[in-house]
Amino acid sequence: MTILNNQKKVRLALRPLEQFSERACRALRLKPQCAALAFVTDTEIARLNKTYRKKNSPTDVLSFPAQSFAKRLNRNKFLGDIAIAPAVARRYARKNGRSLPTEICVLILHGLLHLLGYDHETDRGQMDRVEHKLRRKLGLES
């Protein structure tokens, strides 16, 4: 996964996040370059959230599929982009009792699942079940 750090507020160790992304892609049977990830500012994620979801606030992660749902079923194609706001993630990490690196790994996994077509707002818990199983498998929770 290509990772860009377009923010300076939160210091990030990118190599461990790249390694986790590779493991997550393998666990999902995806090619390593299946998605691009950008770390963005609170302001940028709030703008994206307002533009694409009509929600006027920052959020921790957004996913932008590159293909229609039917085409996303082909796991060999580029799936899309993920934007993560590390400053928001840091607030959620504190609230959830997790480290920032763990929280960001959870968000990477969450974003990948959205790119694969999962939607926790409409799927009656299916995405949550898959995500928790993968979190355990990838060592993000016991």
Side-chain angles (χ1 to χ4, degrees):
M1 181 178 307
T2 302
I3 298 179
L4 302 170
N5 188 5
N6 295 331
Q7 59 85 48
K8 293 182 176 138
K9 186 174 183 179
V10 178
R11 176 173 251 146
L12 299 170
L14 295 182
R15 187 65 195 133
L17 298 174
E18 290 167 351
Q19 291 168 337
F20 174 81
S21 298
E22 291 166 8
R23 288 180 39 236
C25 287
R26 275 195 306 274
L28 290 163
R29 290 185 236 110
L30 299 169
K31 287 193 170 188
Q33 296 303 315
C34 65
L37 167 62
F39 291 111
V40 298
T41 64
D42 283 21
T43 303
E44 180 65 10
I45 203 108
R47 185 186 68 75
L48 292 167
N49 205 21
K50 184 172 184 176
T51 300
Y52 295 100
R53 298 183 66 227
K54 310 296 183 237
K55 297 193 177 192
N56 197 18
S57 62
T59 189
D60 49 1
V61 61
L62 292 171
S63 298
F64 300 95
Q67 314 257 341
S68 68
F69 177 71
K71 290 185 180 177
R72 280 186 271 163
L73 296 178
N74 181 347
R75 293 173 178 239
N76 293 320
K77 299 229 181 225
F78 180 77
L79 296 175
D81 301 313
I82 301 168
I84 294 176
V88 177
R90 184 169 52 195
R91 292 192 290 274
Y92 283 123
R94 287 179 183 142
K95 179 179 161 188
N96 295 324
R98 291 194 277 253
S99 70
L100 178 60
T102 297
E103 185 73 17
I104 288 179
C105 289
V106 166
L107 296 176
I108 290 169
L109 179 60
H110 189 85
L112 284 169
L113 290 172
H114 274 304
L115 291 180
L116 286 168
Y118 289 96
D119 184 353
H120 53 84
E121 293 180 3
T122 62
D123 71 7
R124 298 185 185 138
Q126 182 184 12
M127 180 177 176
D128 288 336
R129 286 188 296 276
V130 170
E131 184 172 342
H132 285 285
K133 180 179 173 184
L134 286 164
R135 283 186 195 183
R136 284 190 299 276
K137 181 178 182 177
L138 294 166
L140 297 176
E141 60 185 44
S142 51

